[in-house]
Amino acid sequence: MDLILLWLTRILLFLMGCVVALFSSCKGMSIKLYSQDEILSILSERYGMEFVIVEKIKTDEFDTEQTVKSRFYAAAPADEPDSVFWVYDEISRYSGLFLPSYGHSSLEDTYAHDCFLRGFDALARERGLDFIYRTGKKNVKVSNHLTGRHLQGGSFCFFINRDNAESIVTEVFEICGKLKKEYPLQNNPEFFLTISFHDESEEAVDGKWLFGGAYFSPFRPDDFTGEYATADSVLKEIYEKLYLPSE
């Protein structure tokens, strides 16, 4: 009898879970894309300044298999209408193994990303640091990347050896510290960009992934503890991954 009650309880809990999931699914899929006024309000709240929509662009080049609906915009600060950045409004649908699909809404913009990209590129060149910028497996010029349609992402890649690792990592963090003062975006969950360090023996050719380096994001914690990378923590990772095994 106890066994029967146990199984009936499990079945009941499973059915209740399905009902909740189905309700969440229906509710999720009723999500609508943002209006232009709503987008401007969200951007203003994120950055504490006013923006304008420059153009609504018809494209699906950033959609994925999960995309249900999307819109793509060129936007700009209200007082700098020529400083265009990109906004991607998307509704996605995800399906679990046993549960019904559910909807998810996101609004991604490249304003902070592009400001940091432009500033970091300029300061690193000013200091004479040797690096490349990559999106996926491609090496690209930052200036060319910024003028084309894009979303966030990519990585500044520095190639190091055992002797110069400390000086390069230190300079990179000095640049990040300077830019963080100009763009106070700490704890910004919308920021996606990494800085990576690889041994100079690694070939950075187009079409080839770079593996085995040390990575960090300047505006996002390294892990779920909320801890941000430091020059010391990155150097520790570099020596452990790249150099200690060879000793």
Side-chain angles (χ1 to χ4, degrees), residues 24-34 68-69 89-92 102-106:
S24 299
S25 171
C26 295
K27 184 178 179 181
M29 294 318 297
S30 67
I31 300 171
K32 296 181 179 179
L33 293 169
Y34 293 106
V68 178
K69 293 180 181 178
D89 184 10
E90 180 191 30
I91 296 174
S92 305
Y102 65 94
H104 173 72
S105 175
S106 62

Side-chain angles (χ1 to χ4, degrees), residues 73-93:
Y73 299 91
D79 57 353
E80 296 181 81
D82 293 330
S83 299
V84 171
F85 63 95
W86 312 103
V87 179
Y88 181 58
D89 184 10
E90 180 191 30
I91 296 174
S92 305
R93 179 170 55 209

Side-chain angles (χ1 to χ4, degrees), residues 14-61:
F14 175 76
L15 292 174
M16 290 175 63
C18 289
V19 170
V20 171
L22 182 61
F23 175 77
S24 299
S25 171
C26 295
K27 184 178 179 181
M29 294 318 297
S30 67
I31 300 171
K32 296 181 179 179
L33 293 169
Y34 293 106
S35 69
Q36 293 192 23
D37 286 342
E38 288 173 326
I39 289 173
L40 293 175
S41 177
I42 292 170
L43 292 175
S44 178
E45 185 176 347
R46 280 181 187 172
Y47 300 112
M49 53 192 294
E50 297 302 314
F51 295 90
V52 293
I53 298 295
V54 176
E55 182 184 4
K56 178 180 174 182
I57 301 169
K58 186 176 182 180
T59 180
D60 60 1
E61 64 181 301

Side-chain angles (χ1 to χ4, degrees), residues 132 134 136-139 159 202-210:
I132 60 172
R134 301 196 105 206
K137 296 185 286 185
K138 295 181 178 180
N139 306 341
F159 294 89
E202 180 83 81
E203 281 190 283
V205 297
D206 280 347
K208 177 180 178 293
W209 291 108
L210 294 177

